[in-house]
Amino acid sequence: MTPRDGDLPALVAGAGIGGLAAGLALSRAGFAVRIFERRSDSSEIGAGIQIGPNGVKALCALGVGDAVMAEAAQPNVIRARDGRSGRIVAELPLGDWMTERHAAPYITVRRADLHKALRDAAETDDRIIISYGRTVVGAEQSEDAVAITFDDDTSHERGALLVAADGQNSKLRPSVAGAIASQRACATVSRTTLDAGDVPGLMCGNTVTVWMSAHGHLVHYPVARGRQVNVVLVDRDPQSAVTSQASAELDAAAISQVVDQLQRVAPALAGLRSTFEHASWGRWPVIDAAPLPTFARGRIVLLGDAAHPVRPYLAQGAVMALEDAVVLGNCVSASASFDEAPAAYDAARRPRTVKVQNAAKQNGQIYHLPRPASDARNLAMRTLGGGTLMQRYDWVYGWTLTGG
């Protein structure tokens, strides 16, 4: 649809990866955008992130592909190891194989670098205004607009469309999907980033490595063009996820517990205890969330974790938010009015994100198999081979800009 003079802006709650991407997509569709972020600054929490070809295509569509790839690594392979023995079970191709198959690379990047590229693009876009320290807590719709309220209860803003990109603890989700069962933590994720020079050969190299164990699993991969290594430990015990959001930097006692768990998952890395203990760790809960009945109601849409939290076992959580943004922009551009775009977005995105949520959950179950089921898993992976295993995810990575 074509913007008209005097049109109300599109409103976005949240200036994380999904919110900034949504802002860029809506601006590229021709609309003024107001983004509101509850945090008082533009910092981004987290460590590293894997972005498959589908995510890279979305970043390029948003105009930030080159900026992100300039700070990324491009691993050649995903190496799956049996955590107990340390043996390599399978090597799934990335690198040129992935690029040739899906017309874009598979990259790994610091989350802060991804966020900075999106933020820089938004802050230099004359159509976009970002306001920090403003928490959107409610929304009301009329026939031709949506009005949002803030936690200070002293002001409101009106827009033609509201994108709720306010995370897995979204305050706006009930406005769209109604009351839902409370989400629960089903596991705990701990993350750190190390200098590449501080880790041994088992953790170096241009690879994504997954150590699979009944206790959980460990993933590590290069970021910052190979200068650093991102380390992600998944503990199947949700009890250590003491908050519903990212924990502050862990203290020495909590780090010791993380390292104990890491060595249960990957005993071959026991010699790195001192390195891990002197690192700065953060901790997050893994949320078990049932699919929502809708991502849109009237002029309000849910995007990213507000719509579909994805377990981090397929490296698709943030990528789904990037896809969401591109599809939303396409729907707005193609619709005759803002009234039509939300329903088109919902129809395009819900089936795909539910499928991704289920695939990520299944991956976690495979990673965490106990013996003797893990022995059967290892044999099956060796027999099938990395290429065949990776082809099972063509439907994920082969996403195109016109797809849902």
Side-chain angles (χ1 to χ4, degrees):
M1 86 191 191
T2 303
R4 301 180 304 275
D5 291 341
D7 277 342
L8 290 169
L11 309 177
V12 180
I17 290 170
L20 291 171
L24 290 171
L26 290 167
S27 173
R28 291 170 80 86
F31 294 91
V33 182
R34 295 291 309 274
I35 303 176
F36 302 96
E37 168 56 42
R38 63 177 177 80
R39 290 172 295 178
S40 59
D41 58 38
S42 60
S43 62
E44 174 70 0
I45 59 174
I49 187 170
Q50 301 177 60
I51 305 177
N54 51 324
V56 173
K57 293 172 196 174
L59 290 171
C60 291
L62 295 170
V64 297
D66 289 344
V68 175
M69 286 189 282
E71 298 299 323
Q74 294 190 29
N76 293 322
V77 68
I78 296 176
R79 181 169 293 149
R81 291 182 179 270
D82 178 84
R84 181 177 53 85
S85 68
R87 295 191 184 97
I88 297 173
V89 174
E91 293 192 339
L92 286 67
L94 298 176
D96 292 342
W97 186 95
M98 185 68 84
T99 301
E100 291 170 4
R101 193 171 186 86
H102 296 300
Y106 190 108
I107 66 174
T108 52
V109 65
R110 291 185 299 192
R111 194 176 185 95
D113 290 335
L114 169 61
H115 188 262
K116 181 178 185 300
L118 293 166
R119 186 182 70 244
D120 287 351
E123 289 179 343
T124 56
D125 188 321
D126 291 340
R127 294 182 183 273
I128 300 175
I129 298 174
I130 307 175
S131 300
Y132 294 99
R134 304 198 72 187
T135 302
V136 181
V137 296
E140 293 186 1
Q141 302 188 60
S142 61
E143 183 177 343
D144 58 358
V146 57
I148 58 174
T149 55
F150 300 89
D151 60 348
D152 60 14
D153 200 31
T154 61
S155 60
H156 71 277
E157 298 278 349
R158 294 179 74 247
L161 176 76
L162 170 61
V163 180
D166 52 344
Q168 65 187 24
N169 298 303
S170 172
K171 295 182 181 298
L172 296 171
R173 187 188 294 118
S175 298
V176 174
I180 60 173
S182 59
Q183 299 177 340
R184 65 179 184 88
C186 59
T188 306
V189 174
S190 301
R191 296 186 177 99
T192 192
T193 304
L194 304 172
D195 289 337
D198 293 338
V199 297
L202 276 176
M203 295 185 67
C204 287
N206 197 28
T207 67
V208 177
T209 301
V210 183
W211 302 72
M212 303 177 292
S213 164
H215 300 290
H217 70 275
L218 174 70
V219 183
H220 52 80
Y221 50 83
V223 293
R225 302 179 67 179
R227 299 188 303 272
Q228 295 179 319
V229 177
N230 190 61
V231 183
V232 183
L233 175 67
V234 175
D235 185 343
R236 293 186 63 189
D237 178 9
Q239 298 306 314
S240 55
V242 294
T243 69
S244 59
Q245 298 181 5
S247 300
E249 184 175 334
L250 301 185
D251 60 24
I255 290 175
S256 182
Q257 294 173 354
V258 169
V259 177
D260 286 344
Q261 173 65 5
L262 189 153
Q263 294 181 338
R264 283 191 290 270
V265 169
L269 301 179
L272 280 178
R273 185 174 188 96
S274 178
T275 298
F276 290 133
E277 286 182 334
H278 287 88
S280 174
W281 290 84
R283 187 163 58 194
W284 287 257
V286 176
I287 297 300
D288 181 28
L292 298 181
T294 183
F295 292 170
R297 185 177 73 83
R299 292 170 175 260
I300 307 174
V301 301
L302 302 175
L303 184 145
D305 282 351
H308 44 71
V310 180
R311 299 191 194 193
Y313 310 147
L314 190 58
Q316 284 291 309
V319 174
M320 287 297 103
L322 295 172
E323 286 188 10
D324 287 349
V326 171
V327 172
L328 178 62
N330 289 346
C331 290
V332 168
S333 296
S335 299
S337 71
F338 273 121
D339 295 319
E340 299 176 3
Y345 164 79
D346 175 66
R349 291 306 294 162
R350 233 172 354 113
R352 176 165 170 82
T353 56
V354 168
K355 190 175 180 181
V356 168
Q357 284 177 307
N358 289 336
K361 182 177 180 179
Q362 182 181 48
N363 264 11
Q365 293 168 342
I366 293 170
Y367 291 165
H368 304 154
L369 287 172
R371 296 186 75 186
S374 62
D375 294 332
R377 171 202 65 201
N378 294 351
L379 176 60
M381 292 179 70
R382 290 192 187 100
T383 301
L384 289 170
T388 299
L389 291 169
M390 188 59 84
Q391 288 173 28
R392 297 185 309 158
Y393 299 108
D394 280 350
W395 64 272
V396 176
Y397 302 128
W399 176 84
T400 63
L401 303 183
T402 56

